[in-house]
Amino acid sequence: MADTWTIRKLIEWMVGYFTDRAIDTPRLTAELLLSHVLQMKRIELYMHFDKVIEPDKLAALRALVKRTSDHEPYAYLIGRTEFYSMEINVSRDCLIPRPETELLVERAIEFLRTRKAGGTQKICDLCTGSGCIAVAIAKNFPDCKIIATDISDAALAVADINIKKHNLEKKIELLAGDLFEPVINGLDETKFDLIASNPPYISESEFEQLDKNVKDHEPRQALYGGADGFDIYRRIIASVPEHLKPDGVLMMEIGYLQGDGIRKLLEPVFSYIKIEKDISDNDRVVIASNRMVENYRPDFFDGTVDRH
Ligand SMILES: C[S@@+](CC[C@H](N)C(=O)[O-])C[C@H]1O[C@@H](n2cnc3c(N)ncnc32)[C@H](O)[C@@H]1O
């Protein structure tokens, strides 16, 4: 790096450096790293473009640039990311929330709004990780009570930080254990209005082909879903009838190749199944219910959904 570095010069240099090394979203990454080191909001970088950066800050930035170019995800380096327009803390113990998962949250909130008259909505978020799904739902649909479970105590510690950060301690309860195992039906809750999950769903063959920044850095337990990627779905679906209200809905994120497979698993249990595509036109969220959901999305249960 040259000796006089302004914010503008640093961003331009990092964008070129990251582009040459095939780092995703080079400008965003450059701005996030710099705003982290300078303890400024991203917008403030633009307001101080000609500010000269002190040597100690440059040294800190250099270390982060080096690690980023070695494909360490920037969210782990700075300890946070953005999800559903909220800041979410992350650590290497949990998956970094993905923008694709926002579709599940959006559909969940839409569904809950159709049931407002039904009082406080009871929700279960299985495989909560950083807690991003539970936190986003509770923040946007306050009349709810969420039980969020995860098998990893370390991931739950991150979820706990996020729940406190967004003042949702009264809305979300964290339980450690295997899927529904820590949920005692009748003691913790009556049945749920909504069961949501983004479980591990990467198959053995896909796992080998994951990008280096995912495979080498994110927890395997958060990604790997068994030989065909469906292990956790099978187990969730087998237990759902015990925990879901008769008019409740199950919503799960799925991998882009899993639409047909998940449909086959759900057909014996649910009358209505809809697979939603994300903005890249890939299958991404499955929604299943045994009742029509009145006043829900106009394109849901309108005949385009499968009925068995
Ligand atoms: C794909 S990550 C999703 C995290 C978060 N919900 C999100 O959307 O970013 C899956 C999570 O499932 C957890 N997990 C894996 N197997 C589990 C099991 N049998 N029971 C509960 N949680 C499990 C992992 O620890 C990980 O936090």
Side-chain angles (χ1 to χ4, degrees):
M1 294 184 185
D3 28 10
T4 317
W5 285 98
T6 60
I7 286 180
R8 181 200 312 272
K9 272 169 70 178
L10 270 172
I11 291 178
E12 282 166 5
W13 178 80
M14 281 191 284
V15 169
Y17 190 82
F18 290 149
T19 305
D20 290 348
R21 283 156 185 79
I23 301 300
D24 282 346
T25 58
R27 188 169 189 97
L28 177 68
T29 305
E31 290 180 7
L32 285 171
L33 293 184
L34 192 53
S35 60
H36 175 69
V37 166
L38 300 180
Q39 297 289 299
M40 281 181 172
K41 295 204 165 82
R42 262 170 73 208
I43 182 82
E44 290 172 341
L45 299 177
Y46 285 82
M47 290 151 63
H48 300 93
F49 247 177
D50 295 320
K51 179 181 160 64
V52 176
I53 306 308
E54 302 87 358
D56 60 324
K57 304 269 195 250
L58 269 183
L61 184 68
R62 183 182 282 115
L64 293 178
V65 166
K66 169 82 179 69
R67 289 169 67 180
T68 303
S69 63
D70 289 338
H71 294 268
E72 266 190 73
Y74 67 78
Y76 286 151
L77 294 178
I78 65 176
R80 64 196 150 82
T81 189
E82 210 176 273
F83 180 76
Y84 214 73
S85 303
M86 299 174 318
E87 192 175 286
I88 293 287
N89 281 35
V90 293
S91 80
R92 281 158 197 288
D93 297 313
C94 66
L95 191 90
I96 299 167
R98 305 292 204 268
E100 299 91 286
T101 306
E102 294 180 352
L103 178 64
L104 172 63
V105 171
E106 209 168 296
R107 293 296 178 260
I109 293 167
E110 284 166 358
F111 165 70
L112 293 166
R113 289 190 177 141
T114 68
R115 289 163 73 87
K116 243 186 161 159
T120 303
Q121 295 295 294
K122 302 197 169 68
I123 302 162
C124 182
D125 172 25
L126 297 170
C127 304
T128 196
S130 65
C132 60
I133 295 174
V135 166
I137 291 176
K139 197 89 191 156
N140 290 280
F141 188 85
D143 194 7
C144 71
K145 181 86 181 61
I146 304 181
I147 287 184
T149 77
D150 202 288
I151 205 159
S152 156
D153 288 331
L156 287 175
V158 178
D160 191 46
I161 291 170
N162 285 315
I163 289 166
K164 291 186 173 129
K165 181 180 176 117
H166 292 281
N167 301 314
L168 295 167
E169 295 97 317
K170 292 204 175 105
K171 310 263 170 216
I172 306 173
E173 183 182 0
L174 295 173
L175 296 176
D178 180 14
L179 301 180
F180 289 108
E181 177 255 331
V183 181
I184 302 176
N185 197 349
L187 175 65
D188 290 319
E189 285 300 337
T190 52
K191 292 191 174 188
F192 295 104
D193 297 275
L194 170 69
I195 294 173
S197 186
N198 176 18
Y201 57 69
I202 305 294
S203 69
E204 204 161 314
S205 57
E206 286 169 326
F207 193 84
E208 292 315 312
Q209 286 154 26
L210 286 175
D211 284 347
K212 206 171 144 47
N213 59 330
V214 177
K215 191 172 153 195
D216 294 355
H217 296 282
E218 300 203 67
R220 181 182 161 93
Q221 192 175 39
L223 298 162
Y224 183 62
D228 67 354
F230 286 92
D231 278 8
I232 302 276
Y233 294 120
R234 283 191 199 91
R235 296 181 49 227
I236 291 177
I237 294 166
S239 300
V240 152
E242 188 194 332
H243 293 281
L244 191 66
K245 285 185 181 171
D247 63 346
V249 163
L250 169 69
M251 294 192 187
M252 297 188 290
E253 179 167 318
I254 56 170
Y256 73 108
L257 296 173
Q258 291 179 317
D260 290 341
I262 201 79
R263 195 184 290 281
K264 285 200 185 78
L265 292 179
L266 287 166
E267 275 172 0
V269 182
F270 287 100
S271 313
Y272 299 93
I273 299 164
K274 170 123 176 154
I275 291 170
E276 297 249 358
K277 290 190 185 294
D278 61 21
I279 48 166
S280 311
D281 211 29
N282 289 321
D283 288 346
R284 186 59 60 194
V285 170
V286 63
I287 307 176
S289 176
N290 275 316
R291 298 263 176 91
M292 292 288 283
V293 181
E294 279 175 33
N295 307 319
Y296 192 43
R297 293 169 58 74
D299 64 341
F300 192 75
F301 300 129
D302 64 352
T304 58
V305 85
D306 296 345
R307 184 168 188 176
H308 306 289

